[in-house]
Amino acid sequence: MFEIVEARPLARGIKQFVIKAPRIAKKQRPGQFIIVRLDESGERIPLTIADADPQAGTITICVQAIGKTTMLMNMLEKGDFILDVVGPLGKPSEIEQFGTTVVVSGSVGTAMAYPTARELKRAGNKVVSIVGARSKDLLVLEDEVRAVSDKTYVLTDDGSWGEKGLVTERLKQVLESCKVDLVLAVGPVPMMRAVANLTAPLGIKTIVSLNSIMVDGTGMCGGCRVLVNNSSQFACVDGPDFDAAQVNFEVLMQRNNMYREQERTSIELLQADPGAELKKLREENARHACALDAVEASHD
Amino acid sequence: MTKPPSNNPLPNKERIKLPRQRVPEQDPQVRAHNFQEVNLGFPAEQARQESLRCIECNKPGCIDLCPVSVNVRAVIDLILAGDYLGAASKVREDNALPAITGRVCPVEDQCESGCVLGKKGEPVGIAYLERFVADWERETGQFGSPVAAPATGKKVGLIGSGPASLACAGDLIQMGHQVHVFEALHELGGVLVYGIPEFRLPKDIVRHEIDVLRRRGVVFETNVVVGKTVTIDELMQEEGFNAIFIATGAGLPRFLNVPGEHFNGVYSANEFLTRVNLMRAYRFPEYDEPLYPCQDRDVIVVGGGNTAMDAVRSALRLGAKSASIYYRRTEKEMPARVEEVHHAKDEGVHFEMLVNPVEFLGDEKGNLTSVKCIRQELGEPDDSGRRSPVPIKGSEFVVPCHVAIIAAGTSANPLIQSTTPGLAVTKRGYIAAKEDTLATSKPGVFAGGDIVTGGATVILAMGAGRKAAKAINEYLKGLDEPKPEQAQATVQA
Ligand SMILES: Cc1cc2nc3c(=O)[nH]c(=O)nc-3n(C[C@H](O)[C@H](O)[C@H](O)COP(=O)(O)OP(=O)(O)OC[C@H]3O[C@@H](n4cnc5c(N)ncnc54)[C@H](O)[C@@H]3O)c2cc1C
Ligand SMILES: Cc1cc2nc3c(=O)[nH]c(=O)nc-3n(C[C@H](O)[C@H](O)[C@H](O)COP(=O)(O)OP(=O)(O)OC[C@H]3O[C@@H](n4cnc5c(N)ncnc54)[C@H](O)[C@@H]3O)c2cc1C
Ligand code: SF4
Ligand code: SF4
Ligand code: FES
């Protein structure tokens, strides 16, 4: 049982949670993720650790509601419980002194890229952040990003905030205007692919964080496999960071579409009566908490 | 030599005339569409009838060939005396999880292959009897928890919650140690819950066995990936564990490394079975985990072991139009339990022998549509004495297929090995452990089960767990005695 000690909306459909998970808070490194299972009937989904407080024993995550599990999760409030949280999983991002680094991110990807950007800055890199979103109300962590970046560009597709345009257009200008040693791109697959297409011909080292569908997150199932340099790699243990130039993004997109129909069914079921689903989750998790207390009491 | 008094009223020549009892099963036509248990188990009268067949050998071959030497003869005699609880306790002296082994032991290679009756007719149905007493005990709620030794104050961490760990936990708690089991997944039981399906081993039975251990004082912590969440060194140095037993199984799926394995619909057996069993995708959408649809489609499972049988029979239950086993050798070489192969055949699984996939083919959306295979023949015996299959040139053929499940074995998950300095591994990446004590190269750290042997059996894993418990107990006693060097130093002084 993992308690939510803080929950606040960050943007439209994006919520930030602070969760009590002392073991994970102590061990996590930037770029790593957790897997959560909300309740007994829930699926397991991966979420990036956006921040952590080892003293308080908490981790922070940001969730964008796109399907059943993330929608249900975003209905949770402070004081609610999540049945299972496991991590930190995946390899931490490689943090070195590269020189000038550009961090490109889109919507919730900004929350995922933020801890790495912060560490890159701490390691003595010059950090240029390019943050994008469809519109103003989808932007997250702008202030946090500005605080750890030497230069920050904010763009929206519709021009409702910052510059109007695409992150890749801005990236192109940055690459033309100065020598860049490392690009990190985190966000929707088409965005990461566009960045890779831009930087690969220039030979600039580019890292992408791949969001394949996962189950266990420990290398046991192979469901998260991605095609990198024409061979299968497991995103949960070999990644999630990979060299963008070697990633086959088409295969990643295909595989992320694998459960489209079932996902739609799940969403419809949730939307038919969201209150009931939430009630069920709360009741089930309360039952689990009771059972755990009983076992602990019997050991005293 | 006279035999000890027996509860069997029949003379031997009568006993050997008795036919082996057939265990009641769900009808194949019905069970092929549900996930309820196939094998229904003996009622008491049938258990008695089957027990009457045992001729009480002086040198029971059954005991010799059971990897943990369950005293089968004594168990059978207790059944005949009507003392089922006594029979269950007798089994438990050597086997902590009888309700499980009674369902999944490959008896044709173990106890039953040693039964003298098998030489002329059919062996005694030992696993069915073992299951009978264990189920009786559970269903009547009569488990008498054995009295544990006084607390030693020593703390042992067990990594993984598969049969090796569960058996080890049972023995260590009995010896008075504190036992803490760490499991990476959200459910306890290892392959017993994520691999073996409900229709062969109901999850409630595994849960019950775990509850018994919990009531006896074993602490279980799920959602801890040792090597990631916490390392072995941290457990020993910061959390006060005096010894560690690593039993993390052979978790890594092997793919075939042929083109097209990334198409949607190609699964490792691990993923397919995890989705179906652990995540209960067969009850979608009540349970939220999706599964690539098998309903009314052609499903091919590549492999010939228990994993392959479990996958193919699951696919059938999910409504597959056809469910086939594609195996690269012949039926004789298939490592699966004989009973599972029979069950699969009765349920309508199709078997295609001496074939191997060479490529998976898909459409423009990336969905699997067919698989290209090549026929094989058995060549000359290799070093291991097994005749290995050789592809027949020009024999390629393409079959339609929407879901392909690869059950071509597993290898060692490197997670612990790579995060534990000083832990020696074998050439193939398994943990190196001494045969007699299961001690690893790292002091206080022991390892057993599939992570040492490679994929084996439930009872062998349990045997390893017990062996480790004994060795750990000795090791912990040693911690309290003055170290030999120190002792010597005192003498010299
Ligand atoms: C390593 C990793 C880190 C992640 N970190 C975060 C994070 O910090 N915050 C966050 O909001 N999300 C994150 N994600 C994505 C998140 O896991 C998915 O959004 C989630 O699994 C969707 O579940 P659902 O049931 O809500 O939606 P579903 O109903 O499963 O999916 C809805 C739609 O999203 C697509 N989709 C499915 N799975 C994924 C996926 N894994 N990634 C992208 N699209 C997917 C599907 O094609 C479908 O169209 C991360 C993914 C990975 C692999
Ligand atoms: C589908 C299938 C069917 C089978 N059928 C049979 C059968 O009918 N009869 C039979 O005798 N045998 C059968 N086997 C084999 C048998 O199940 C295994 O030999 C046995 O389970 C091995 O036990 P174990 O305790 O070594 O490991 P496992 O049962 O594999 O358990 C290992 C546990 O460790 C956990 N773990 C792994 N890494 C970590 C980590 N880093 N930190 C924490 N936890 C970790 C895993 O999640 C898992 O729960 C079958 C196997 C499979 C896959
Ligand atoms: S543990 Fe397995 S091999 Fe041993 S007697 Fe029981 S069923 Fe037979
Ligand atoms: S070998 Fe067969 S007949 Fe002999 S004691 Fe064992 S079960 Fe009985
Ligand atoms: S999620 Fe199962 S291997 Fe990566």
Side-chain angles (χ1 to χ4, degrees):
Chain A
M1 276 303 163
F2 295 81
E3 190 184 355
I4 297 175
V5 294
E6 232 179 278
R8 71 180 176 106
L10 279 190
R12 182 158 52 87
I14 302 179
K15 205 160 169 178
Q16 186 180 63
F17 296 95
V18 179
I19 300 171
K20 194 133 191 105
R23 285 193 184 277
I24 304 173
K26 193 170 145 203
K27 285 290 280 192
Q28 63 82 36
R29 306 287 312 133
Q32 289 190 297
F33 62 94
I34 54 171
I35 284 190
V36 307
R37 189 175 73 128
L38 296 180
D39 62 3
E40 192 56 49
S41 57
E43 62 178 342
R44 295 169 61 104
I45 65 158
L47 298 164
T48 304
I49 304 166
D51 211 341
D53 182 342
Q55 262 77 47
T58 59
I59 53 170
T60 302
I61 52 170
C62 301
V63 184
Q64 180 169 36
I66 59 159
K68 148 100 191 259
T69 306
T70 46
M71 285 174 187
L72 184 60
M73 181 154 184
N74 281 5
M75 288 157 68
L76 299 181
E77 296 296 345
K78 178 179 172 171
D80 276 327
F81 285 89
I82 296 173
L83 185 55
D84 298 295
V85 176
V86 60
L89 301 170
K91 287 193 178 140
S93 298
E94 206 184 311
I95 309 284
E96 280 173 38
Q97 200 172 345
F98 295 101
T100 301
T101 59
V102 181
V103 180
V104 188
S105 63
S107 69
V108 80
T110 307
M112 297 156 69
Y114 166 70
T116 307
R118 192 188 56 211
E119 290 309 306
L120 283 170
K121 179 70 196 166
R122 266 189 207 151
N125 292 285
K126 182 172 176 221
V127 176
V128 178
S129 286
I130 307 179
V131 176
R134 274 204 312 281
S135 65
K136 178 172 189 265
D137 55 358
L138 287 170
L139 266 178
V140 297
L141 304 188
E142 186 184 337
D143 294 342
E144 284 85 345
V145 171
R146 284 191 188 278
V148 301
S149 309
D150 295 278
K151 178 93 187 102
T152 304
Y153 299 96
V154 176
L155 300 95
T156 50
D157 293 3
D158 61 2
S160 54
W161 190 254
E163 303 166 40
K164 180 173 162 44
L166 297 174
V167 288
T168 40
E169 288 161 11
R170 174 46 71 188
L171 173 64
K172 194 154 172 259
Q173 286 161 10
V174 171
L175 295 179
E176 279 160 4
S177 66
C178 66
K179 182 181 163 291
V180 170
D181 301 290
L182 175 87
V183 173
L184 172 73
V186 188
V189 182
M191 182 274 258
M192 292 192 285
R193 182 179 53 181
V195 169
N197 287 342
L198 204 62
T199 57
L202 303 173
I204 301 171
K205 178 170 173 158
T206 302
I207 303 294
V208 284
S209 178
L210 300 187
N211 53 349
S212 52
I213 295 173
M214 297 184 176
V215 186
D216 58 298
T218 64
M220 181 269 271
C221 77
C224 63
R225 63 195 187 275
V226 286
L227 214 51
V228 177
N229 205 7
N230 260 322
S231 82
S232 271
Q233 302 263 326
F234 293 180
C236 70
V237 285
D238 303 322
D241 287 359
F242 290 98
D243 177 357
Q246 303 192 340
V247 172
N248 185 325
F249 291 99
E250 277 64 36
V251 164
L252 177 62
M253 276 196 266
Q254 278 168 13
R255 290 187 62 81
N256 274 355
N257 279 331
M258 189 156 163
Y259 302 108
R260 261 278 155 82
E261 279 171 41
Q262 291 95 323
E263 284 157 356
R264 203 171 303 133
T265 307
S266 293
I267 291 173
E268 280 164 11
L269 272 173
L270 173 71
Q271 286 175 337
D273 193 350
E277 284 281 339
L278 182 62
K279 187 159 165 259
K280 188 173 127 232
L281 176 149
R282 286 185 169 146
E283 283 171 3
E284 268 180 16
N285 285 358
R287 238 195 339 267
H288 270 279
C290 277
L292 282 179
D293 286 348
V295 170
E296 268 160 33
S298 75
H299 286 164
D300 292 339
Chain B
M1 202 171 107
T2 52
K3 286 194 177 191
S6 155
N7 288 297
N8 196 327
L10 303 178
N12 273 0
K13 60 179 193 306
E14 293 297 319
R15 299 181 194 178
I16 56 175
K17 282 192 211 143
L18 296 173
R20 178 166 157 130
Q21 294 291 309
R22 298 283 148 229
V23 74
E25 286 173 359
Q26 258 200 82
D27 181 84
Q29 304 306 316
V30 177
R31 71 183 194 233
H33 305 288
N34 68 44
F35 274 84
Q36 278 135 37
E37 197 172 11
V38 167
N39 181 324
L40 302 174
F42 280 154
E45 182 46 34
Q46 257 192 309
R48 183 182 163 76
Q49 285 301 322
E50 186 63 22
S51 300
L52 284 172
R53 298 180 60 225
C54 171
I55 58 168
E56 299 164 286
C57 307
N58 279 327
K59 288 199 187 123
C62 53
I63 303 179
D64 287 345
L65 281 164
C66 166
V68 296
S69 311
V70 167
N71 193 339
V72 176
R73 205 188 103 162
V75 173
I76 291 178
D77 197 53
L78 285 160
I79 295 176
L80 287 171
D83 180 4
Y84 304 147
L85 195 58
S89 313
K90 188 53 89 191
V91 183
R92 277 186 194 277
E93 284 177 9
D94 303 291
N95 170 357
L97 309 170
I100 295 167
T101 51
R103 286 171 164 83
V104 303
C105 262
V107 285
E108 62 276 5
D109 302 324
Q110 299 178 359
C111 53
E112 291 185 20
S113 75
C115 175
V116 64
L117 296 191
K119 297 218 169 85
K120 286 211 177 113
E122 287 189 283
V124 174
I126 299 167
Y128 297 154
L129 293 175
E130 193 165 295
R131 172 188 162 155
F132 164 75
V133 295
D135 285 357
W136 186 86
E137 180 192 42
R138 186 182 64 259
E139 282 157 15
T140 54
Q142 302 226 25
F143 183 77
S145 143
V147 186
T152 63
K154 295 282 185 296
K155 208 164 130 187
V156 188
L158 276 46
I159 322 293
S161 64
S165 220
L166 297 180
C168 189
D171 282 5
L172 286 172
I173 204 88
Q174 194 67 21
M175 295 163 178
H177 306 301
Q178 285 177 52
V179 182
H180 197 122
V181 177
F182 297 95
E183 168 57 49
L185 292 170
H186 58 257
E187 257 192 61
L188 301 164
V191 169
L192 306 178
V193 297
Y194 80 71
I196 303 179
E198 184 78 18
F199 57 82
R200 211 147 68 75
L201 178 61
K203 302 295 155 264
D204 279 349
I205 287 167
V206 182
R207 233 173 268 136
H208 173 84
E209 296 291 353
I210 287 164
D211 277 344
V212 169
L213 287 171
R214 202 180 260 132
R215 271 186 270 145
R216 288 170 63 194
V218 177
V219 177
F220 290 95
E221 188 174 344
T222 51
N223 296 314
V224 177
V225 184
V226 175
K228 286 282 183 189
T229 315
V230 64
T231 62
I232 295 206
D233 284 345
E234 285 163 346
L235 287 176
M236 298 186 84
Q237 285 154 23
E238 293 169 23
E239 297 196 24
F241 284 93
N242 304 98
I244 297 283
F245 177 53
I246 307 173
T248 47
L252 226 59
R254 261 197 227 130
F255 285 90
L256 300 171
N257 294 322
V258 302
E261 265 177 335
H262 55 269
F263 283 125
N264 295 344
V266 183
Y267 275 121
S268 74
N270 271 9
E271 184 183 3
F272 182 81
L273 290 171
T274 299
R275 283 179 181 272
V276 174
N277 298 321
L278 181 72
M279 304 306 296
R280 304 193 177 61
Y282 66 95
R283 287 165 69 181
F284 182 88
E286 180 196 349
Y287 281 78
D288 197 27
E289 190 79 19
L291 186 72
Y292 197 70
C294 292
Q295 178 123 37
D296 299 325
R297 303 172 93 189
D298 299 303
V299 181
I300 284 177
V301 177
V302 183
N306 285 320
T307 310
M309 295 308 138
D310 285 343
V312 80
R313 294 173 69 201
S314 298
L316 204 67
R317 284 160 173 76
L318 291 160
K321 182 166 76 188
S322 71
S324 315
I325 287 283
Y326 277 47
Y327 183 55
R328 62 198 185 103
R329 301 173 191 259
T330 69
E331 196 171 322
K332 220 171 61 220
E333 285 89 18
M334 285 205 311
R337 293 176 77 222
V338 169
E339 181 174 347
E340 306 317 325
V341 178
H342 286 320
H343 279 157
K345 284 188 173 161
D346 289 348
E347 289 163 11
V349 170
H350 171 75
F351 284 73
E352 192 74 44
M353 294 296 119
L354 288 165
V355 287
N356 210 17
V358 290
E359 184 176 1
F360 293 99
L361 306 161
D363 62 18
E364 68 291 344
K365 284 192 188 141
N367 296 337
L368 180 69
T369 53
S370 55
V371 50
K372 188 182 195 183
C373 299
I374 191 161
R375 298 217 179 267
Q376 324 214 80
E377 58 195 350
L378 288 184
E380 294 301 312
D382 58 16
D383 296 343
S384 72
R386 286 216 298 184
R387 297 176 62 192
S388 46
V390 192
I392 303 172
K393 260 211 193 87
S395 68
E396 287 94 343
F397 61 100
V398 173
V399 280
C401 159
H402 304 99
V403 181
I405 301 162
I406 299 165
T410 50
S411 51
N413 191 326
L415 225 159
I416 297 228
Q417 296 85 308
S418 64
T419 52
T420 313
L423 187 68
V425 298
T426 67
K427 264 205 307 272
R428 289 157 63 222
Y430 293 98
I431 297 177
K434 286 213 185 89
E435 183 127 2
D436 50 343
T437 60
L438 297 177
T440 67
S441 58
K442 206 174 163 74
V445 179
F446 300 75
D450 283 4
I451 191 60
V452 168
T453 56
T457 63
V458 171
I459 193 66
L460 282 170
M462 285 173 51
R466 303 204 70 198
K467 195 191 263 185
K470 221 167 124 199
I472 290 170
N473 194 39
E474 291 302 315
Y475 171 81
L476 293 174
K477 274 193 217 150
L479 289 182
D480 293 334
E481 287 157 15
K483 292 237 164 58
E485 313 90 277
Q486 289 168 344
Q488 247 165 32
T490 340
V491 171
Q492 277 164 9

